[in-house]
Amino acid sequence: MQNTNRHLVGEGVSSLNVRELKQLENRLERGLTRIRSKKHEMILAETENLQKREIQLEQENAFLRSKIAENERLQELSMMPTGGQEQDYNAFQQYYARNMLQLNMMEGMQHSNYDPLLSADKKSLHLH
């Protein structure tokens, strides 16, 4: 066994004949093929995971952008003159109802790979 391991790393091969060298070479090639195949599988799996993560981050980004836009609009509404308060209140209600529909649609787009660190309490985004 020790000699076999030494042979695999190229030590002590001077005592081997041509047939034994060919067998050793074939074993090494089969081993390399298995190693390369496993490495390829792992790279493909990692690529797939990164692509899923990219989609998740893009959705998170879109959600956060919509929340920022909503907060900016709410700030604009809060700075309006108070002359027609009832009309302003109705406009605010319509705006809020529209955005809640968008919020529900965005949450429905989330993948089943729920990551609590990414989506921690999305409904209460506060800008300062």
Side-chain angles (χ1 to χ4, degrees), residues 45-76:
E46 183 64 18
T47 300
E48 185 177 319
N49 287 336
L50 289 171
Q51 287 171 340
K52 287 178 183 177
R53 179 87 168 122
E54 177 185 21
I55 290 169
Q56 187 179 21
L57 289 172
E58 286 172 350
Q59 290 175 344
E60 183 74 16
N61 193 3
F63 175 80
L64 292 172
R65 286 182 189 276
S66 72
K67 292 302 289 177
I68 289 170
E70 176 184 347
N71 283 338
E72 288 173 349
R73 178 68 179 138
L74 290 175
Q75 285 178 352
E76 287 175 12

Side-chain angles (χ1 to χ4, degrees), residues 64-122:
L64 292 172
R65 286 182 189 276
S66 72
K67 292 302 289 177
I68 289 170
E70 176 184 347
N71 283 338
E72 288 173 349
R73 178 68 179 138
L74 290 175
Q75 285 178 352
E76 287 175 12
L77 286 174
S78 69
M79 292 180 195
M80 290 180 132
T82 58
Q85 284 183 337
E86 186 175 326
Q87 184 180 5
D88 291 344
Y89 181 73
N90 289 336
F92 174 77
Q93 282 184 321
Q94 290 172 358
Y95 175 78
Y96 186 74
R98 263 194 330 269
N99 283 312
M100 286 307 293
L101 176 62
Q102 290 174 352
L103 173 65
N104 291 335
M105 289 171 57
M106 290 293 292
E107 287 176 347
M109 287 176 38
Q110 294 295 321
H111 277 77
S112 61
N113 301 358
Y114 180 73
D115 186 347
L117 294 176
L118 283 179
S119 51
D121 198 12
K122 292 179 184 175

Side-chain angles (χ1 to χ4, degrees), residues 2-14:
Q2 244 180 357
N3 277 339
T4 304
N5 287 340
R6 286 182 54 233
H7 292 156
L8 289 175
V9 294
E11 295 174 359
V13 293
S14 60

Side-chain angles (χ1 to χ4, degrees), residues 20-31:
E20 291 170 328
L21 286 171
K22 186 64 177 165
Q23 287 174 345
L24 179 59
E25 182 181 27
N26 288 338
R27 286 181 59 206
L28 289 169
E29 286 176 357
R30 284 192 306 270

